[in-house]
Amino acid sequence: MKILKIAILVVFLVSAGMISKAITGHIHKVHSNLGDKGFAVVELFTSEGCSSCPPADELVSRIQKESAGQPIYILAYHVDYWNRLGWKDVFSNAEYSKRQGQYSEWLKSGSVYTPQIVVNGKKEFIGSEENTLRNAIKNSLQNSSPNTLNFSNIKLANNNVALQYHTQATSNNTSLVLALVEKAARSQVKSGENSGRTLSHVQIVRGLQNININGKADGNSSIIIPQGLNTKDLELIGFLQNESNGEILAASRTELNAINQLP
């Protein structure tokens, strides 16, 4: 009789353990799903004229390879203020330096530097700090956003990308930022701090358009493709940004190679 009671107790404990495990697994799954709507927009400010930048370029390249299929959006802006020091970065643009300066005001950092990374418009740090970047991405993915951004009716014609955007109604200080991104490129640097090096880059911003959507949940927009770029090498990344504090509210992307070219 005593043995029977022990056997019954063992069965009960095992069953209870299995139930507890099932409940725990279910809770874990629910928490994981809560992060499904999270996203990370990673903006790197870099330059071929900066000897500290190649490690940051290599870091975001690794992140890009690892994050296939995830809502991680990498944009590499090549600033132009290094150009006067011996090497003109062919990917540089004064608009990208201006954008970095805007982040200095939003984040009250008081200065600009390279390499610098900003995640979701809220956190900035040295672009080669791998642990900091990975933690920032992880935290961003775990925080779901109430906002969404989707594109439809995307058309290519005469070196122009036209589209319709769809989101929730937003405040009047929200802008839609469109970026044309070249997926990869290499450069042979012949002077400056990286003289003699062959540098590899990913997610290079080649065009940037900032549109105040005036609180409209739906609308039309467009961005020009710079001459000399092949659409098969490009993707379009768009995101909503609060113009008061720089916070990024939602993001989306589309491959231009998948869009039919109009005559």
Side-chain angles (χ1 to χ4, degrees), residues 54-243:
D57 295 333
E58 293 165 5
L59 173 58
V60 296
S61 178
R62 291 198 301 273
I63 297 294
Q64 176 71 8
K65 291 176 182 177
E66 296 169 10
S67 62
Q70 297 184 55
I72 299 173
Y73 309 87
I74 296 175
L75 303 101
Y77 303 91
H78 288 237
V79 298
D80 71 334
Y81 50 80
W82 278 91
N83 291 353
R84 66 183 185 276
L85 300 178
W87 175 253
K88 184 176 181 179
D89 188 335
V90 68
F91 304 112
S92 65
N93 191 310
E95 286 299 311
Y96 309 154
S97 302
K98 182 179 178 180
R99 179 166 179 79
Q100 187 182 27
Q102 179 64 72
Y103 269 126
S104 176
E105 296 180 16
W106 278 330
L107 301 175
K108 298 178 174 56
S109 61
S111 63
V112 296
Y113 61 91
T114 55
Q116 181 186 34
I117 281 179
V118 180
V119 177
N120 281 1
K122 298 187 292 185
K123 181 178 177 61
E124 69 88 16
F125 47 90
I126 296 172
S128 54
E129 293 182 349
E130 182 167 358
N131 288 338
T132 306
L133 175 57
R134 291 187 180 278
N135 287 333
I137 291 174
K138 180 181 178 181
N139 292 336
S140 297
L141 293 179
Q142 290 175 342
N143 292 321
S144 60
S145 171
N147 300 93
T148 59
L149 175 64
N150 295 291
F151 299 138
S152 67
N153 295 327
I154 307 172
K155 299 176 182 178
L156 294 176
N158 301 320
N159 291 323
N160 186 71
V161 184
L163 58 85
Q164 291 181 343
Y165 69 84
H166 311 278
T167 184
Q168 291 93 348
T170 56
S171 61
N172 290 332
N173 66 345
T174 300
S175 288
L176 169 64
V177 182
L178 298 178
L180 282 176
V181 176
E182 187 173 7
K183 297 176 187 177
R186 292 168 66 88
S187 291
Q188 292 184 337
V189 181
K190 298 180 180 179
S191 60
E193 290 191 0
N194 289 311
S195 179
R197 299 186 63 176
T198 298
L199 301 181
S200 298
H201 309 296
V202 297
Q203 298 299 105
I204 312 155
V205 177
R206 303 303 303 272
L208 195 65
Q209 184 82 4
N210 193 303
I211 308 103
N212 190 308
I213 59 178
N214 296 315
K216 295 180 180 179
D218 303 277
N220 300 307
S221 189
S222 64
I223 186 170
I224 296 174
I225 302 174
Q227 290 186 346
L229 294 180
N230 193 323
T231 56
K232 72 179 181 62
D233 302 322
L234 301 176
E235 71 176 5
L236 177 69
I237 293 178
F239 50 91
L240 298 175
Q241 187 160 39
N242 185 314
E243 290 290 351

